[in-house]
Amino acid sequence: MPLRDLLLGLFVIAIWALNIIVIKVGVAELPPLLMTTLRFVLVAVLLVPFYPVARAQLPFLLLLSFTFGSLHFALLFIGLGQAEAGTGALLVQMGTPFATLLAVVFLKEKLGAKRIAGLLFSFAGVIVLAGGPTLPSPLPLTILLLSAFGWAVSQLLIKRGPPIAPLALAGWVALFAIPQVALGSWLFETGQWQAIQQASWRGWGAMTYTAVMSSIVAYGIWYALLRRHPVNRVVPMTLLVPVLAVGLGALLMGDSLGVHKLVGGGLVVAGIALIVLNVGKRRPAKPL
């Protein structure tokens, strides 16, 4: 890979890793579901007018808005509001093992030795994390794992669904997810208007970053790289996302770096590496 494209890839990885930190900053000022709603509004406004889709694709996009928009993103914002950034980033990476298992069950893909080892390492890493003090309580832990599962289901749907341009998919999924997440905010959150009025530049900047930098700029660059290079040269860079997120969490948020997080996180990343490097030619990963 040319140096320019390698640097672009690392730039995307940095955007996605910092996105974990930024979400935590944002949900400290804006209720998670409200912030997710505002994020989807901004993404839809910036993308939908420029990326039309066929009417026949709308039911698929509506289904994806539930699994990818509500189940993955909304639960991610809620879970990260109650977990350390690095630990949350590691747990969300479990989407790759979940996607592998779903592909075996529903697509009849076969598990080779590397993928089995990767699954074992990944789930062993979560068990090690569970023994440490940085793992969130059962509720946010479940929420983050459900967010990872939502990501996995979405990848299965995208793989089997109609071909749609990535930014068109992002825009229309955001549009259809707006009423779902807004309803959740109305039912389960309070003080939304006060939060909007009192949010500082940090809260608004965090919401804007997750919409513009993570969803639009990063994905735009990422898919340009995937068009120019083999998938198995590009996708392995995503393994740096949880590593960098853990480091940024310690540096910027004061998160601890205990032995459980280092060993458990290492097992999770090693397991995902075995899975991704084995199937990279067939299924590109889609980080945050």
Side-chain angles (χ1 to χ4, degrees):
M1 185 181 298
L3 178 60
R4 172 180 172 275
D5 285 356
L6 177 61
L7 293 176
L8 283 173
L10 294 176
F11 176 61
V12 171
I13 297 308
I15 290 175
W16 280 330
L18 186 59
N19 191 49
I20 301 292
I21 311 300
V22 168
I23 290 173
K24 282 196 63 68
V25 172
V27 297
E29 298 195 12
L30 294 166
L33 292 176
L34 173 64
M35 181 177 170
T36 310
T37 303
L38 295 172
R39 173 195 188 277
F40 284 148
V41 169
L42 184 55
V43 171
V45 167
L46 293 175
L47 292 180
V48 168
F50 306 102
Y51 292 92
V53 296
R55 182 174 299 179
Q57 296 171 332
L58 295 180
F60 169 74
L61 291 166
L62 180 60
L63 174 61
L64 200 61
S65 72
F66 173 74
T67 62
F68 205 27
S70 297
L71 190 58
H72 171 58
F73 276 108
L75 293 184
L76 174 67
F77 279 50
I78 294 172
L80 285 177
Q82 305 175 55
E84 285 191 358
T87 304
L90 290 168
L91 290 173
V92 172
Q93 296 305 310
M94 292 302 295
T96 299
F98 288 156
T100 301
L101 291 175
L102 288 174
V104 171
V105 174
F106 293 102
L107 303 183
K108 307 304 180 184
E109 293 188 4
K110 296 187 180 298
L111 282 177
K114 283 186 179 180
R115 298 174 80 185
I116 292 174
L119 290 171
L120 293 175
F121 279 11
S122 298
F123 287 105
V126 172
I127 293 173
V128 173
L129 285 170
T134 64
L135 196 73
S137 60
L139 180 58
L141 168 63
T142 302
I143 289 173
L144 286 169
L145 290 177
L146 282 174
S147 172
F149 184 75
W151 181 93
V153 172
S154 300
Q155 303 318 297
L156 192 70
L157 292 174
I158 291 171
K159 184 173 182 178
R160 303 294 290 181
I164 302 175
L167 291 182
L169 187 146
W172 286 88
V173 164
L175 179 66
F176 286 139
I178 290 170
Q180 303 171 36
V181 184
L183 177 63
S185 178
W186 181 65
L187 291 174
F188 301 111
E189 294 177 338
T190 59
Q192 293 92 326
W193 181 243
Q194 292 85 347
I196 289 175
Q197 291 179 311
Q198 298 172 6
S200 69
W201 65 269
R202 292 183 180 86
W204 290 111
M207 187 278 296
T208 304
Y209 180 97
T210 64
V212 176
M213 295 301 294
S214 179
S215 286
I216 299 176
V217 174
Y219 275 119
I221 296 173
W222 188 252
Y223 282 98
L225 292 175
L226 286 173
R227 285 193 297 269
R228 293 199 293 266
H229 302 285
V231 173
N232 61 344
R233 290 186 184 178
V234 179
V235 169
M237 284 192 287
T238 62
L239 297 172
L240 294 174
V241 172
V243 177
L244 187 56
V246 169
L248 289 173
L251 180 65
L252 301 177
M253 307 293 290
D255 292 352
S256 60
L257 284 177
V259 63
H260 288 87
K261 181 183 288 185
L262 294 176
V263 174
L267 286 171
V268 170
V269 172
I272 294 170
L274 288 172
I275 295 170
V276 170
L277 294 177
N278 192 41
V279 302
K281 293 183 179 180
R282 288 179 289 173
R283 183 172 65 247
K286 300 177 90 176
L288 301 176

